[in-house]
Amino acid sequence: MKKLLTVLAFLIIIQFSFAQETTVGERVIKNAKDKTYGRGEQKGDETVDKTLNKVEEKITNLFKKKEKKKKETEQQQDSSEQSTDVNQESKPQSSSSKKPVKSNSKFDFEAGEKELYFDNFNRLSIGDFPAEFNTNASGEIVNVDGQSGKWLSMTKNGAFIPDNIKKLPENFTLEFEVGINADPTNNYPGLGLNFTTEPDNLMLERFFSKGISVIYLHPGAATCSVQIIPSSGSEINNEIKMPQWDTSQDNNFVKVSLWRQNGRLRVYVNEDKLVDMPRFFTESKAYDFAFFRSFFKECEVYLTNIRYAVAGADTRNKLITEGKFVTNGILFDVNSDNIKPESGTVLKEIATTLQENPTVRVKIIGHTDSDGADAANLSLSQKRAAAVKTALSSFYGIDGSRLETDGKGESQPLNKNATSAEKAQNRRVEFIKL
């Protein structure tokens, strides 16, 4: 009996000391049985075995309860994480979610109609550097994971000067898409947009001479900085928050739009206006332009879909007085009739014209470039014209009976469709007064 009490005391101690995991508990029971049978007499085997079996059952149940509680906790955590994921997915994404094409006061950008230069680098082979750019750094054409098309990867700090963007007119727009593949830290200025009246200064950075105005976009610091050094007068330095391009929030790719009207410059990132400076261009001489890469940490900065244009004639005047208005400012997703949000300004102008002239009826005609099959392009152009009609009716209240649609596909090109710029000109929407 004394041995039996000793065994029970020993098992109780083991029960509370080793009740952590099921495998541990099972090992404790086995060891206890082995030691007890080795020391006990044959006569007490049956009694000891029954006692051990009861203790084993209690230990097993104890671990089952712990395991059940652990699984319930993990399930609650999984449920919580799934709920968080759902909430995150329900938030609108800046770069991929469909957004209304209705114009609003925050995004008043209007792309220039007369396109002077467009480049998406599709004509180039991977690994090449575009001959139309001058640089004191280095780069190459690449594909980017998760992004469509080809991109110019600016791999080293320095200037990247597009030869086709020179002697800027007093009214122009410049659009491009830009991205970065890593957090560059908040050191160094960032991506510079260098406007200067001295072409020899296009390769310079930081130590600028007079007659220069610079915009710096820094995704590591999530800021937009402005520096103006006029030939006479005081310098201007300003810094603005830029959450749209912020690597700490995984916002690595954005669209940037610039709009000059005489001395004024407006800068938009995605659909948000960050800069509106009436005296950004201070000099009477013509400005030249360069991109400038200035990042501290190793990273790749990507650039594509560069579009440079001057503003066209007044929309209302041309449609009503000339009976026809053609625009490249209504943009669509690739091979799709989904209208991009930045088209809202042009659509608003068309809608206002029709609202102020309630008896006017128009035909909306879609046109494509020559890429792809003829039949597919014809169908796409018809769908895009229908999408414009839907937008004018749904968002601006234009009576659908005043709008007819048609599509010409690639059958009426304005040029030979030989270059990316020519193809961009052919991707257009035409409004004909009936």
Side-chain angles (χ1 to χ4, degrees), residues 226-272:
V226 181
Q227 182 178 14
I228 302 172
I229 308 175
S231 57
S232 62
S234 302
E235 291 188 21
I236 296 176
N237 291 279
N238 196 11
E239 189 170 282
I240 303 143
K241 292 182 179 180
M242 185 182 61
Q244 298 84 359
W245 197 19
D246 182 357
T247 54
S248 68
Q249 300 298 317
D250 294 327
N251 298 326
N252 285 23
F253 288 82
V254 292
K255 179 176 181 180
V256 178
S257 306
L258 295 88
W259 185 5
R260 178 188 180 180
Q261 290 180 305
N262 297 317
R264 180 187 295 270
L265 180 70
R266 298 182 178 94
V267 180
Y268 308 79
V269 178
N270 290 339
E271 294 176 62
D272 298 306

Side-chain angles (χ1 to χ4, degrees), residues 346-356 392 396-398:
V346 177
L347 289 171
K348 183 179 180 181
E349 286 293 309
I350 293 292
T352 301
T353 301
L354 295 174
Q355 289 165 353
E356 293 177 350
L392 291 172
Y396 299 101
I398 305 300

Side-chain angles (χ1 to χ4, degrees), residues 131-243:
E132 297 82 4
F133 275 68
N134 186 21
T135 184
N136 59 359
S138 64
E140 62 177 346
I141 301 302
V142 299
N143 292 128
V144 180
D145 290 344
Q147 304 293 324
S148 61
K150 294 180 179 179
W151 298 69
L152 170 59
S153 174
M154 299 181 283
T155 55
K156 299 294 182 182
N157 285 345
F160 294 80
I161 306 171
D163 291 337
N164 294 313
I165 305 181
K166 288 185 175 179
K167 304 304 175 189
L168 305 175
E170 292 187 351
N171 193 340
F172 73 86
T173 59
L174 176 63
E175 305 163 76
F176 58 91
E177 293 178 42
V178 64
I180 195 167
N181 71 333
D183 185 350
T185 76
N186 61 357
N187 295 314
Y188 286 20
L191 176 69
L193 310 175
N194 182 357
F195 299 92
T196 178
T197 57
E198 301 296 333
D200 291 341
N201 289 342
L202 286 173
M203 293 286 187
L204 299 180
E205 189 222 355
R206 300 190 198 179
F207 304 105
F208 296 124
S209 59
K210 293 185 176 181
I212 193 169
S213 298
V214 185
I215 298 289
Y216 276 115
L217 306 175
H218 203 308
T223 58
C224 169
S225 303
V226 181
Q227 182 178 14
I228 302 172
I229 308 175
S231 57
S232 62
S234 302
E235 291 188 21
I236 296 176
N237 291 279
N238 196 11
E239 189 170 282
I240 303 143
K241 292 182 179 180
M242 185 182 61

Side-chain angles (χ1 to χ4, degrees), residues 17 32 40 43 76 107 114 125 189 207 241 248 289 313 328 341 361:
S17 300
K43 183 177 178 180
Q76 289 174 357
F107 188 70
K114 185 179 179 182
S125 300
F207 304 105
K241 292 182 179 180
S248 68
F289 171 77
N328 301 107
R361 298 174 60 250

